[in-house]
Amino acid sequence: QVQVVESGGGLVQPGGSLRLSCASSGSSFDIATMGWYRQAPGKERDMVAIITSDGSANYADSVKGRFTISRDNARDTAYLQMNSLRPEDTAVYYCKVNGKYTGSYYRNYWGQGTQVTVSA
């Protein structure tokens, strides 16, 4: 069974930085995309950034120029470097892994989320 585990959240002041990590574990598991999503209280879960296996990345307009997603394929791990954080970035951040086992089909696997709070 695939496990997806996020880490790196916390409390940071406006203008500060945080780096989130997403580790995926599963033998013979082929990962297509890894992505970060966030959900603020009372709001829907929105895409923040997605990266493919060849390193192509897409970002939400609200984080372009401030956040950077990267990926270590050898470790099945994705990172989200968040700079110039704003109070409106406060949310639970979730990692989503899209992958499949050999002979199976691609499906999404979610982590449990990590809280990011931006406040003075």
Side-chain angles (χ1 to χ4, degrees), residues 2 4 24 28-35 71 76 96-102 104-110:
V2 176
V4 179
S24 173
S28 301
F29 188 66
D30 177 31
I31 297 175
T33 63
M34 302 182 78
R71 178 171 168 174
D76 290 339
K96 185 181 80 173
V97 174
N98 181 261
K100 72 177 185 73
Y101 288 100
T102 303
S104 184
Y105 55 90
Y106 284 97
R107 55 163 292 187
N108 294 323
Y109 299 84
W110 290 90

Side-chain angles (χ1 to χ4, degrees), residues 51-63:
I51 188 166
T52 64
S53 57
D54 64 359
S56 297
N58 284 304
Y59 297 90
D61 288 342
S62 59
V63 306

Side-chain angles (χ1 to χ4, degrees), residues 42-116:
K43 295 188 177 181
E44 295 184 350
R45 189 175 298 186
D46 294 324
M47 187 274 288
V48 176
I50 298 175
I51 188 166
T52 64
S53 57
D54 64 359
S56 297
N58 284 304
Y59 297 90
D61 288 342
S62 59
V63 306
K64 284 180 180 177
R66 300 188 298 123
F67 291 10
T68 302
I69 189 170
S70 60
R71 178 171 168 174
D72 184 340
N73 290 330
R75 292 180 169 83
D76 290 339
T77 299
Y79 305 94
L80 186 67
Q81 178 66 44
M82 305 186 295
N83 298 328
S84 302
L85 282 161
R86 306 166 179 168
E88 53 264 38
D89 294 318
T90 296
V92 178
Y93 284 70
Y94 297 91
C95 179
K96 185 181 80 173
V97 174
N98 181 261
K100 72 177 185 73
Y101 288 100
T102 303
S104 184
Y105 55 90
Y106 284 97
R107 55 163 292 187
N108 294 323
Y109 299 84
W110 290 90
Q112 80 289 347
T114 185
Q115 176 70 46
V116 172

